Structures are given as structure tokens and as C-alpha cells.
Amino acid sequence: MQIFTLFITAVGLMTDNELFQFLDLNHPGLEEVKEAMAKGDVESAKKLLADYLRNRTSVPWGFDPHNIDRSIRYSKPYADQTVAGEVQVIGVPYVFPNGDIDWFYNPTKVRDDLPDDNEWQWQLGRMGYWGNLGRTYWGTGDELYAQTFVKHLRSWTKQCPRPDDSGNYANSASGWAAPGRMLIIASFIRHRSPMRM
Amino acid sequence: MILYLKSCTEQAQHLRKYPTSGNWLTMEMSGLYTVGAVFHELKDAAEWRNYAIGRLYEELDKQFLLDGAQIELTPGYHQVALFNTLQIPETANTVGRLDELPDDYVRKAERAFDYNLYLMTPDRDMPRFNDSWHVNVPGYMRTAIEIFPENRWEGRNISFCSIISFSLCWVLCYALWMG
């Protein structure tokens, strides 16, 4: 992580209790979650909420997660590259050691043969590789691809907490500019993907 | 699952608090709407959906000029803004919430497809001025026909126009068709 991040103020990921405050616990289907929270049993409430989300039918998907048709187009080699941390962003390849993505790393800032380009970091944060990763999990059933998605999600939420302002510093070379901008632009890209994968 | 829900909630709160403008706004509102639709159990979900719909409904008039061009005058961003705007009714249809949209929401986007057709080059791309990239115009027009089945574009037969030029007065440029 580059030193610039040390000077950026950010709000940490919300707590479990905060999440439950944002939820309408009177929503049909959340009765048991509400009951667990009333008892102060947050861990049970989380498990019940996750069960509810996995089994609800109020939001349809493009596939039946309980009866998966694996006839879908995907690129396993591309997914394997993602697992290995091999990315190609705006034509500039980079391999993250052990497949651990550093969301603040930007090879154009390091390599003398390339001009500095914030776009590399911004595009990395759009997670364009997630769609194929999901389709490959769908097509193969190999948990490795799902685990890689979870690994990315965990590392991004840990390394890139939301800023306490807009986060859109167009001219900032690094630090919060890229994740901040990513947060806004890529929110759409990330959010629409579940129903399209 | 819980982490994903937390992150989506935080991002929706952020998007609601710090909306920007131009094609970015269309992405932001499409994302905000999607969180409100997918996680309708959140207390703010309905407000997020309504806000996103309202903002992009307004933006259809603000961002798409009378000749259909998106206000940033960039064929690439034009597609970004157009399809992010249309993502809301598509998602609404998926989750059964089309009745939350104004009746003429989709119709307002029709002229944006005109612009694609007017600027189409002989290789079915679009001129790459400003920050643009390859645009598959036939592909986008097929989408247009799905959305607007009356297909008022059919029969324009633009491949065989001798010389037709369109003055895109709001864009302040001319598209010259030769074939």
C-alpha cells in the first residue's frame, strides 16, 4: 500500500449492529432475525439473515441457484489468470504475488517505461474480471472461483473503506482518489453483475 | 453474504449522498437503484429506488439533446449514459417493479438511438471523437428494436443513401452519409 493512504480519512466498514439498524426487521420473512436481535444474539441473526437471503424468492435471478444449468459461456483460462492474480488493465499486464490484489498498486507509477496513468488503478477497481469468474464458477461448479471472488471482496472491503467525503479527487495520483472514484463509478458495475452473471 | 450486503449498503449510502453529473451520474443511479431493488429489505431501499428513477428521468431531458446526443458529445459516453439509464427499467422488469417508473421513462430514451444511427460509419462503427471506442451500432439498434418494437428506424436503408447529411444542430456538427 502506498504511503498516501495514511493521510486519508475513511469510515470503516459498518458493524453488524449497524447493518441490522439499516434493515427493516418487520419485513416479511425476517421474523426470526428480528427475534434473534431482540435477544441480543447477533451471530444467530446473521446466520438467519444469510439463510433468508439465500432462499428468498422475491428477487429472481437469471438462473436457479438450486438447480444450475451449467450450459453457459465462460473462459476458464481467463478465470484461472484471475485466480492467480494475473491482470491486464488498459493493456498493461501485472501479476499480483500469490493472487493477492493490492487495490492501491499501480504499475504505471513504478515502471520507468510507462507514463503515470491513474486509469490503471481505476480500471482495476472496476473488477471487470468478476463477470467471467462468476460464469466460470457457474459453468464448472469449482469452488475455487467462488473462493477467489470472496477473497477479492474481503480484501477490497478491508483495504478500501468508504471515504468520509465524496472521494472524487480527479487529480490525485493515488491514495483515496482511485478507490473513491472507483467506489462511485464501479458501484453500478459491481451491483448489476449478480443478476447478469 | 453478510459482508456483501454490508458493502452494497455502504456503497448505496455513498451514492445517495454524493451524486455527481453526466455519464457518471447514470452509473451511480443505476447502481443505487439496483441495490434498492435487490435488497428491498433495507429501510432506505424504496427511497433509493425512487430517487434513482427520479434523477435519471430528469436526466433524460437534461443529458440527451433534442437530436439525441448525450451532452458530453462523446459517442462512447453516449452509450454508457444511454444503457445505464435503460438498466433501471430492465432491472425493474426483472424484479417486478416496472409500475414504479413513469410511463414515458423508456420512450424518452428513443432519440438517443437516432444519434447512433445518424453517426454510424460505413463499417457500422461511430466516429471516435473525444473519449470513445468501438461502438457496435447494429448491436445497439437490435436492442433498440427490442425496446421499441414499432421500429421506426426500419426502411431508412442508410447503406444505400447516395448523399444525405444530417445537421445535428444541438451537437453543432454534421454527419455526412455517402454510399
Side-chain angles (χ1 to χ4, degrees):
Chain A
M1 185 183 297
Q2 294 166 358
I3 194 167
F4 305 96
T5 57
L6 297 174
F7 303 104
I8 303 299
T9 57
V11 180
L13 189 68
M14 68 173 65
T15 64
D16 294 336
N17 278 316
E18 285 172 331
L19 174 64
F20 286 107
Q21 287 172 17
F22 294 129
L23 281 166
D24 175 11
L25 295 180
N26 293 317
H27 194 285
L30 294 180
E31 294 83 1
E32 290 181 284
V33 178
K34 183 180 179 181
E35 196 175 312
M37 283 303 291
K39 294 176 183 171
D41 188 352
V42 178
E43 289 307 310
S44 292
K46 283 165 60 179
K47 287 176 184 167
L48 289 163
L49 176 60
D51 285 344
Y52 162 82
L53 290 171
R54 288 189 186 99
N55 294 300
R56 66 180 181 171
T57 56
S58 57
V59 176
W61 299 84
F63 58 93
D64 179 356
H66 303 291
N67 185 22
I68 297 173
D69 173 4
R70 301 207 181 277
S71 58
I72 185 173
R73 292 181 64 182
Y74 60 91
S75 168
K76 188 174 181 300
Y78 179 29
D80 289 336
Q81 287 176 345
T82 303
V83 171
E86 298 174 22
V87 297
Q88 175 140 331
V89 183
I90 57 169
V92 178
Y94 185 72
V95 181
F96 287 100
N98 304 313
D100 297 329
I101 292 182
D102 178 350
W103 302 99
F104 288 90
Y105 187 78
N106 183 344
T108 73
K109 306 285 185 185
V110 178
R111 284 173 51 178
D112 292 334
D113 61 326
L114 294 171
D116 286 4
D117 193 342
N118 295 333
E119 193 71 28
W120 198 95
Q121 200 174 10
W122 297 336
Q123 291 292 337
L124 173 72
R126 293 192 181 192
M127 291 89 160
Y129 30 83
W130 274 6
N132 181 66
L133 196 63
R135 286 192 300 276
T136 307
Y137 176 51
W138 182 352
T140 65
D142 189 336
E143 288 291 327
L144 176 64
Y145 304 112
Q147 289 165 3
T148 299
F149 170 81
V150 172
K151 179 179 173 180
H152 285 188
L153 180 67
R154 284 180 174 159
S155 75
W156 184 80
T157 54
K158 184 175 182 182
Q159 194 179 0
C160 306
R162 64 174 157 172
D164 60 2
D165 62 8
S166 72
N168 282 304
Y169 317 121
N171 297 322
S172 298
S174 59
W176 255 104
R181 180 173 275 189
M182 170 182 74
L183 191 70
I184 285 183
I185 293 183
S187 284
F188 157 69
I189 298 167
R190 287 194 296 272
H191 289 153
R192 76 171 175 175
S193 56
M195 281 197 287
R196 295 204 149 193
M197 282 205 303
Chain B
M1 180 73 80
I2 299 298
L3 178 63
Y4 185 73
L5 174 57
K6 282 183 179 179
S7 183
C8 285
T9 304
E10 285 194 344
Q11 291 179 66
Q13 290 168 339
H14 191 86
L15 294 172
R16 178 65 180 84
K17 191 173 181 181
Y18 300 108
T20 59
S21 61
N23 76 90
W24 282 26
L25 180 65
T26 65
M27 292 190 216
E28 294 156 14
M29 294 301 104
S30 188
L32 181 63
Y33 179 85
T34 303
V35 178
V38 172
F39 296 113
H40 55 86
E41 300 86 355
L42 290 162
K43 287 177 183 171
D44 290 330
E47 197 278 334
W48 291 340
R49 292 195 307 272
N50 289 333
Y51 180 78
I53 291 168
R55 284 302 302 268
L56 291 197
Y57 184 66
E58 286 177 15
E59 292 293 312
L60 278 162
D61 287 332
K62 288 181 184 173
Q63 288 205 30
F64 292 96
L65 304 173
L66 292 181
D67 45 27
Q70 197 263 349
I71 200 164
E72 290 167 275
L73 308 183
T74 303
Y77 293 2
H78 179 95
Q79 316 309 324
V80 171
L82 173 58
F83 285 93
N84 281 321
T85 302
L86 291 175
Q87 181 69 35
I88 286 185
E90 184 181 335
T91 303
N93 186 46
T94 302
V95 298
R97 295 187 182 276
L98 267 178
D99 59 340
E100 293 180 352
L101 274 71
D103 291 340
D104 59 343
Y105 181 103
V106 173
R107 181 60 62 186
K108 281 175 177 281
E110 189 175 17
R111 66 180 183 276
F113 288 101
D114 293 343
Y115 180 74
N116 282 348
L117 197 61
Y118 290 160
L119 258 68
M120 186 172 71
T121 52
D123 60 354
R124 306 298 186 257
D125 199 341
M126 292 179 78
R128 299 183 191 182
F129 47 79
N130 298 321
D131 185 6
S132 281
W133 47 84
H134 168 64
V135 175
N136 176 8
V137 178
Y140 286 140
M141 295 312 294
R142 277 192 286 275
T143 301
I145 292 167
E146 287 174 13
I147 298 170
F148 305 104
E150 68 273 22
N151 186 10
R152 66 181 174 79
W153 299 284
E154 189 174 5
R156 302 297 289 273
N157 204 11
I158 60 172
S159 302
F160 300 100
C161 292
S162 52
I163 299 177
I164 304 171
S165 65
F166 286 93
S167 166
L168 303 175
C169 56
W170 290 89
V171 180
L172 297 177
C173 74
Y174 282 89
L176 180 67
W177 287 357
M178 301 183 69

